[in-house]
Amino acid sequence: HVQLVESGGGSVQSGGSLRLSCVVSGYPYSTYCMGWFRQAPGKEREGVAAIDTGDGSTYYPNSVKGRFTISRDNAKNTVDLQMNSLKPEDTAMYYCAAGRGIVRPLSPDEYNYWGQGTQVTVS
């Protein structure tokens, strides 16, 4: 079955960096779109980055553009999220997700498979 496992979260001071990683197993990875999402307490889940693992197209909301970078390693079935210039408002649980036939890459409703999440805290 499909499994996504995130790692790399933690606590960092404002202006610092973190790198999240997601290992994917259980399906033909290269045919899916992969996304990173976050959810802070009391807020809706929002997309922060997505990548088409086939052609490598990437997508970001304005709130993280220029600070976050999504990348994939098709040989290792991993998708990473490099986060720089972190701000306190980036504090949230971060989730990796996968889906097929996605039209809106930053919409969580489009994704079928989710990891368990990793906490990012910026102070």
Side-chain angles (χ1 to χ4, degrees):
H1 70 286
V2 178
Q3 189 171 16
L4 294 82
V5 180
E6 304 99 333
S7 62
S11 297
V12 65
Q13 290 189 339
S14 182
S17 298
L18 281 174
R19 188 176 184 90
L20 307 183
S21 185
C22 176
V23 179
V24 181
S25 62
Y27 64 83
Y29 163 90
S30 63
T31 66
Y32 279 70
C33 185
M34 300 294 301
W36 281 98
F37 295 81
R38 67 186 180 189
Q39 188 166 20
K43 294 188 176 181
E44 293 186 353
R45 190 168 296 190
E46 62 172 345
V48 296
I51 187 166
D52 185 319
T53 54
D55 64 16
S57 299
T58 57
Y59 309 87
Y60 304 95
N62 289 336
S63 59
V64 308
K65 198 171 291 184
R67 300 189 298 121
F68 289 12
T69 303
I70 190 170
S71 61
R72 93 279 197 210
D73 185 330
N74 287 355
K76 297 181 179 179
N77 284 9
T78 59
V79 177
D80 290 354
L81 183 67
Q82 178 66 41
M83 305 185 294
N84 299 328
S85 302
L86 283 163
K87 306 175 182 180
E89 51 263 44
D90 294 318
T91 295
M93 185 71 78
Y94 282 69
Y95 299 89
C96 176
R100 293 177 107 168
I102 287 178
V103 177
R104 298 170 297 159
L106 295 176
S107 172
D109 294 340
E110 301 258 348
Y111 289 77
N112 306 105
Y113 304 103
W114 292 84
Q116 81 287 352
T118 185
Q119 178 69 37
V120 171
T121 302
V122 185
S123 59

